[in-house]
């Protein structure tokens, strides 16, 4: 039996159109490994940095559940049992509950005031052109570069003359003034990225400036408000210099002052477990706030950087 063989394709003549049948298949693309060394190096640096940050936090939490003897005899080992009495002793006997309440009142009031006043000032500077706009903006920028240590003595006399020394509301006002420059600087750049067409449509519909700001523009700036709020919360919660100078009443102390007092008073008695328990109490709200709002912080930073 004869079989029919398929004839070999003829070479294309010169000038003949090239069809899909005579086009050679493309060579497989070579894998590019550019930047591999840089990626490995950057990831290694991040791992080392995370280890340097997380290890002290875990060690402090672990030490807060140990007794004083275990802290010195085996500082890197796990606690043999969880000593919750360290936390109760720091909360009650060391007056950490009072310091915690004072800190919540001061930081909560100052954070609300900073966000409200800072967003209003930033909106005006970002959306309206008037004589002195840039001058006022650069005044806020200059406030960021002014060292707070140079203002402690005159600030003490100003607060004292106003009758606000050793008061919660006096410390709130100082915290607001301390945080406004960065807040205005951050939110001004953020408000400039928001679309103007929505505000113009609200004005056409008869909305006032205040209604447009509070009901339209401020909700749109929520990512930026959360981002700057987290940064202000961290700075105000960990503030030590201002309350030390302006708040000398033992009943009005905040957490940072209470931790120093606890370290001084309990250090001579050897109550190191209570000291670490108080330290962890002061860290937990900051860690919780960042863990909860970390996605909003990243969104606010990226949204404020792009237009």
């Amino acid at each position: 039996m004869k079989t029919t063989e398929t004839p070999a394709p003829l070479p294309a003549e010169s000038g003949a159109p090239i069809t899909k049948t005579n086009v050679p298949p493309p060579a497989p693309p070579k894998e590019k490994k550019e930047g591999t060394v840089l990626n490995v190096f950057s990831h290694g640096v991040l791992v080392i940095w995370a280890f340097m940050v997380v290890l002290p936090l875990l060690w402090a939490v672990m030490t807060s559940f140990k007794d004083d003897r275990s802290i010195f005899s085996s500082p890197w080992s796990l606690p043999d049992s969880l000593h919750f009495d360290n936390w109760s002793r720091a909360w009650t006997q060391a007056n950490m509950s009072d310091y915690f309440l004072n800190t919540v009142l001061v930081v909560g009031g100052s954070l609300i005031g900073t966000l409200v006043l800072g967003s209003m000032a930033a909106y005006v500077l970002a959306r309206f052109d008037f004589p002195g706009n840039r001058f006022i903006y650069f005044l806020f920028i200059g406030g960021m570069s002014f060292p707070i240590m140079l203002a402690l003595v005159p600030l003490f006399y100003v607060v004292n003359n106003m009758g606000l020394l050793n008061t919660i509301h006096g410390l709130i006002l100082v915290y607001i003034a301390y945080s406004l420059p960065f807040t205005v600087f951050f939110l001004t750049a953020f408000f400039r990225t928001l679309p103007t067409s929505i505000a113009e449509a609200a004005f056409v519909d008869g909305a006032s400036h205040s209604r447009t700001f509070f009901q339209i523009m401020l909700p749109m700036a929520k990512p930026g408000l959360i981002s700057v709020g987290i940064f202000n919360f961290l700075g105000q919660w960990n503030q030590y210099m201002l309350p030390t100078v302006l708040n000398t009443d033992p009943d009005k102390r905040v957490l940072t002052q209470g931790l120093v007092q606890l370290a001084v008073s309990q250090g001579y008695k050897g109550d190191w477990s209570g000291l670490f328990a108080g330290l962890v109490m002061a860290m937990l709200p900051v860690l919780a706030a960042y863990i909860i709002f970390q996605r909003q912080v990243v969104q606010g930073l990226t949204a404020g950087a792009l237009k």
Side-chain angles (χ1 to χ4, degrees):
M1 180 181 291
K2 294 183 179 180
T3 59
T4 58
E5 296 179 357
T6 303
L10 297 175
E13 299 180 359
S14 58
I18 300 176
T19 60
K20 294 182 180 180
T21 58
N22 54 20
V23 174
K30 298 181 180 180
E31 296 181 359
K32 296 182 179 180
K33 298 183 179 180
E34 299 178 358
T36 303
V37 178
L38 182 60
N39 291 334
V40 173
F41 177 76
S42 61
H43 284 78
V45 172
L46 291 176
V47 170
I48 296 175
W49 179 258
F51 182 78
M52 294 174 60
V53 172
V54 173
L55 182 61
L57 296 178
L58 294 179
W59 182 77
V61 175
M62 181 182 64
T63 307
S64 66
F65 291 102
K66 291 183 176 181
D67 55 1
D68 295 331
R69 182 184 58 83
S70 300
I71 292 176
F72 292 98
S73 60
S74 54
W76 297 105
S77 64
L78 295 175
D80 52 357
S81 61
L82 299 180
H83 297 274
F84 291 100
D85 57 323
N86 301 334
W87 290 63
S88 61
R89 187 169 63 255
W91 184 260
T92 57
Q93 298 181 10
N95 298 325
M96 293 298 293
S97 58
D98 297 334
Y99 303 148
F100 193 90
L101 178 60
N102 293 335
T103 306
V104 170
L105 293 177
V106 172
V107 175
S110 60
L111 192 61
I112 294 174
T114 301
L115 292 180
V116 172
L117 297 178
S119 60
M120 294 172 67
Y123 176 74
V124 173
L125 293 175
R127 293 291 182 174
F128 298 96
D129 293 330
F130 56 90
N133 182 304
R134 304 303 297 172
F135 177 73
I136 297 175
Y137 176 74
F138 285 118
L139 280 181
F140 282 106
I141 301 299
M144 295 174 56
S145 61
F146 189 80
I148 192 60
M149 292 182 293
L150 298 180
L152 288 178
V153 175
L155 183 62
F156 175 84
Y157 285 105
V158 169
V159 175
N160 188 25
N161 293 334
M162 296 177 64
L164 300 176
L165 195 65
N166 297 327
T167 59
I168 296 295
H169 53 279
L171 202 58
I172 290 175
L173 293 178
V174 174
Y175 276 20
I176 292 175
Y178 174 76
S179 304
L180 269 181
F182 172 74
T183 304
V184 173
F185 169 74
F186 187 94
L187 291 180
T188 299
F190 190 87
F191 275 116
R192 288 173 180 169
T193 63
L194 299 181
T196 58
S197 58
I198 299 178
E200 293 175 353
F203 291 144
V204 171
D205 292 340
S208 61
H209 289 286
S210 59
R211 185 177 181 181
T212 302
F213 171 71
F214 284 106
Q215 295 187 2
I216 298 177
M217 304 305 294
L218 199 60
M220 293 175 59
K222 182 180 177 181
L225 292 175
I226 293 177
S227 300
V228 75
I230 291 296
F231 291 130
N232 285 328
F233 175 76
L234 297 178
Q236 295 174 4
W237 187 273
N238 298 322
Q239 182 61 241
Y240 174 71
M241 188 176 300
L242 288 176
T244 301
V245 175
L246 305 175
N247 187 26
T248 57
D249 189 356
D251 297 332
K252 305 290 181 58
R253 288 174 178 168
V254 295
L255 267 178
T256 51
Q257 295 175 289
L259 286 176
V260 174
Q261 181 64 26
L262 180 62
V264 172
S265 61
Q266 302 294 337
Y268 297 107
K269 300 177 183 179
D271 190 7
W272 297 101
S273 57
L275 177 60
F276 277 99
L279 178 63
V280 175
M281 288 180 188
M283 292 191 308
L284 285 179
V286 178
L287 294 176
Y290 186 77
I291 291 173
I292 294 173
F293 297 105
Q294 60 177 340
R295 181 176 299 179
Q296 286 81 357
V297 171
V298 176
Q299 292 177 354
L301 292 176
T302 55
L306 301 176
K307 186 172 182 179

